[in-house]
Amino acid sequence: MRAPRTFFTSESVTEGHPDKICDQVSDAVLDAVLAQDPAGRVACEVATTTGLLFIFGEITTSARIDYEKVARQVVTEIGYTRSDYGLDGRTMAVITSIKEQAPEISAGVSRAYEVRERDTGDPFDAIGAGDQGMMIGFACTETPELMPLPIALAHRLTRRLAEVRKTGQLPYLRPDGKSQVTVEYRAGKPVRVDTVVLSAQHDPDVDPARMRAELIEAVIAEAIPTELMDSQTRCFINPSGSFSVGGPMADAGLTGRKIMVDTYGGMARHGGGAFSGKDPTKVDRSAAYAARYVAKNIVAAGLADRFEIQLSYAIGVARPLAIHIETFGTARVDESVIRALIERHFDLRPAAIIHHLGLNRPIYRQVAAYGHFGRPDLDLPWERLDKVEVLREEAKLSSVVSSR
């Protein structure tokens, strides 16, 4: 009997999408602070609309930052350099409203519950979680980077869309754009791409037929492997018609509104917290990175083909309140073994995460577009597989799933 078909869809957006403009400015501000002050506390939000960008939030630092200059540089580098695009990095209005982190939050983060109750002298007990919440990490064997195939393909499309725009290969393109990929699964395995949706902002006078043909050839054919496409694969190019008005002129943007684009494309659960503009004492960010680090090493070690981990925290408390794991029936060892290995080899207190992954560095703007996970183009510490051998050895496994 033939395995039943299921379909799963994920989306991505280009760096010129209004929400992604805001994510990138937020993380550029964070990078600027950390470059001067690795202990800086940053919660930076950005909003944008036609001709205008707001920077606001709570920042406590010894660094001296020209926030307006940072924002203008990011917006210009994205490609918003003309007023008819709705945003020009050189002439846009920039409004800032920055205050320091609330004293009660600062006290709980700077001196964790563990230290306040009974100081053990352990330096990794020093920092408490910057907020309560639950964070999710995920990995699977669908792609070499151990990410779900739909989101991996969606990101490849938007990165390629930006590339052909910036190199001038398709000079009529403008910065805004989106992709969406629907993958067909059989027996839980991806077998083909069913549908591709590509929305690309463009000059108003471009010929639609020419643009469609060139986007299929220069973007879709380059981003999606031919073996995944067949005669039944549908491609929708700007399905609403013209897309000459985009960016902040068409839609307001705000930091943190693309959490599924940033993570696993909806394939895994999500705790709800966004990443951009937050320093690593905020577990919304650091613990989500640590959870991906755990999940990727577990899958790469061959302990499971599909793995999800949830971490939960309380504000001001260093140690996670709970760890939940799910292997979706793919585990090669008992889940109690996997849990014990995680507790033995991964220190999930915020200070330990920051130390082991080197998170108090200016490394964040580069992941503010095209995904925070599964980035073979970047050397990200939470994507490294330095725990694979010890996990395999202690789990007594004889084979390993390669991530390369």
Side-chain angles (χ1 to χ4, degrees), residues 26 29-30 33 40-44 58-60 277-279 282:
S26 291
V29 168
L30 172 61
V33 170
R41 300 278 174 78
V42 178
C44 179
E58 297 77 44
I59 299 178
T60 302
K278 298 176 181 178
D279 76 80
K282 279 75 170 174

Side-chain angles (χ1 to χ4, degrees), residues 87-348:
L87 197 68
D88 184 337
R90 299 163 299 184
T91 62
M92 66 183 181
V94 179
I95 299 173
T96 62
S97 179
I98 304 294
K99 58 183 183 294
E100 292 194 340
Q101 185 178 62
E104 292 170 327
I105 296 175
S106 179
V109 174
S110 300
R111 193 163 183 266
Y113 171 85
E114 287 84 346
V115 173
R116 285 178 274 130
E117 288 296 300
R118 183 177 63 87
D119 192 349
T120 63
D122 186 338
F124 293 151
D125 274 339
I127 295 178
D131 203 350
Q132 70 175 45
M134 52 280 182
M135 295 80 213
I136 304 293
F138 182 81
C140 63
T141 57
E142 293 182 12
T143 63
E145 58 267 36
L146 304 183
M147 287 286 286
L149 183 62
I151 188 65
L153 295 178
H155 284 321
R156 289 182 204 174
L157 286 167
T158 51
R159 287 176 60 196
R160 179 63 181 166
L161 192 60
E163 181 182 354
V164 297
R165 171 178 63 86
K166 288 185 169 183
T167 61
Q169 182 176 347
L170 300 183
Y172 50 78
L173 293 180
R174 293 184 175 185
D176 199 358
K178 304 176 79 171
S179 71
Q180 185 172 285
V181 178
T182 301
V183 173
E184 179 182 333
Y185 286 76
R186 291 181 187 164
K189 302 293 184 182
V191 295
R192 59 181 289 274
V193 171
D194 181 75
T195 309
V196 175
V197 181
L198 193 65
S199 296
Q201 187 189 14
H202 55 82
D203 290 343
D205 56 353
V206 66
D207 177 63
R210 171 198 170 192
M211 182 175 63
R212 174 183 169 80
E214 291 182 342
L215 285 174
I216 289 175
E217 179 182 0
V219 178
I220 295 176
E222 291 294 323
I224 299 182
T226 55
E227 62 269 21
L228 292 175
M229 306 277 281
D230 58 32
S231 60
Q232 301 302 309
T233 300
R234 298 172 296 172
C235 293
F236 294 95
I237 309 295
N238 286 356
S240 69
S242 178
F243 185 14
S244 62
V245 179
M249 182 179 287
D251 294 292
L254 185 65
T255 298
R257 283 206 298 207
K258 287 290 176 283
I259 58 177
M260 295 305 173
V261 171
D262 286 343
T263 54
Y264 307 102
M267 184 71 77
R269 285 169 282 199
H270 197 291
F275 300 154
S276 290
K278 298 176 181 178
D279 76 80
T281 66
K282 279 75 170 174
V283 285
D284 277 346
R285 175 165 231 157
S286 56
Y289 290 171
R292 164 63 177 173
Y293 177 55
V294 171
K296 189 175 183 184
N297 276 270
I298 292 293
V299 171
L303 276 63
D305 289 338
R306 188 180 186 87
F307 184 81
E308 184 182 85
I309 181 171
Q310 181 198 70
L311 308 174
S312 62
Y313 292 85
I315 187 168
V317 180
R319 298 179 185 275
L321 303 180
I323 298 174
H324 172 78
I325 65 171
E326 172 64 67
T327 62
F328 307 94
T330 68
R332 294 191 176 90
V333 298
D334 193 90
E335 288 190 359
S336 63
V337 173
I338 298 176
R339 183 184 176 89
L341 288 171
I342 293 170
E343 292 176 347
R344 187 178 308 138
H345 294 291
F346 297 92
D347 192 333
L348 298 170

Side-chain angles (χ1 to χ4, degrees), residues 57 123 190 204 273 289 340 360 398:
Y289 290 171
N360 56 352
S398 59

